[in-house]
Amino acid sequence: LTVILPCAGKGTRLGLPYPKEMHFIENNTALIDLSLRHLEPFKESIRAVVIVIEPEKEALVKYLGKWRNAFKIVFCYFDTNNFEWAGSILSAEFLFGNMNLVLLPDSLLTPPADDSLVPAVKRSLERHDVAFGFVQEERPERLRALGALHVDVGAKVRNSECVGTH
């Protein structure tokens, strides 16, 4: 399994003086740490964690040094021919493996209580070409700002809309 963490955003909407992935939500725990904690119990089955960054993200690179003994971490730069978070993922395409998991490192993920993230994704990828983790959102203003997936009752993605991509 190759894990891709798109971290190239500038966080300008939040007005933070540091990368939003490094926003601390608990003592010594940044948002990106939560994504990596989901992976830690399965580190033996993870080929690499690919972090897509912009050149000005040196602080993030330094911060992630604390995870260097847990995972093989590979950094790649955002390809400026691409746009938004989808372009961040495409910037890492040359590092994709047979099974790939994209985690948005500025999101709080909570897998179902009876399952954990990595096994659920691996099971899905054994049967399908792509797997999405999603959170139901009903607020129109959030959907307009962030884009949306149309997911049917059987949890199959029927359509998607990505805001800000070209």
Side-chain angles (χ1 to χ4, degrees), residues 58-77:
E58 298 94 1
L60 180 61
V61 173
K62 184 176 179 181
Y63 179 80
L64 289 172
K66 71 183 201 175
W67 289 96
R68 71 180 172 270
N69 294 324
F71 302 104
K72 178 181 179 181
I73 297 178
V74 178
F75 294 95
C76 77
Y77 285 117

Side-chain angles (χ1 to χ4, degrees), residues 12-34:
T12 52
R13 288 182 292 240
L14 296 175
L16 299 172
Y18 51 83
K20 63 185 172 184
E21 302 85 14
M22 290 177 53
H23 184 69
F24 282 83
I25 57 169
E26 299 173 0
N27 288 338
N28 233 8
T29 302
L31 281 169
I32 196 164
D33 292 322
L34 298 179

Side-chain angles (χ1 to χ4, degrees), residues 9-16 20 84-85 106 142 144-147 163-164:
K10 297 190 180 14
T12 52
R13 288 182 292 240
L14 296 175
L16 299 172
K20 63 185 172 184
E84 295 291 335
W85 63 266
D106 57 353
R142 298 260 314 156
R144 277 192 298 277
L146 301 174
V163 174

Side-chain angles (χ1 to χ4, degrees), residues 33-161:
D33 292 322
L34 298 179
S35 293
L36 294 168
R37 282 184 186 168
H38 280 297
L39 305 174
E40 198 169 19
F42 310 98
K43 61 185 173 187
E44 300 304 320
S45 66
I46 296 173
R47 184 175 70 91
V49 175
V50 177
I51 314 286
V52 183
I53 59 171
E54 285 279 14
E56 63 271 10
K57 294 274 187 134
E58 298 94 1
L60 180 61
V61 173
K62 184 176 179 181
Y63 179 80
L64 289 172
K66 71 183 201 175
W67 289 96
R68 71 180 172 270
N69 294 324
F71 302 104
K72 178 181 179 181
I73 297 178
V74 178
F75 294 95
C76 77
Y77 285 117
F78 178 78
D79 179 347
T80 57
N81 293 312
N82 295 318
F83 301 94
E84 295 291 335
W85 63 266
S88 193
I89 296 163
L90 290 173
S91 297
E93 187 174 17
F94 71 100
L95 295 166
F96 287 2
N98 291 333
M99 297 174 96
N100 303 284
L101 167 62
V102 175
L103 293 178
L104 301 179
D106 57 353
S107 300
L108 299 172
L109 296 173
T110 306
D114 60 340
D115 212 347
S116 60
L117 183 66
V118 172
V121 167
K122 287 182 88 170
R123 279 193 308 277
S124 183
L125 288 172
E126 288 169 359
R127 297 185 317 267
H128 307 287
D129 292 336
V130 66
F132 286 91
F134 60 90
V135 176
Q136 186 168 338
E137 180 60 66
E138 302 289 338
R139 296 172 290 182
E141 67 279 3
R142 298 260 314 156
L143 293 169
R144 277 192 298 277
L146 301 174
L149 294 173
H150 175 86
V151 182
D152 71 14
V153 176
K156 292 186 179 179
V157 175
R158 293 293 175 206
N159 195 4
S160 66
E161 179 181 328

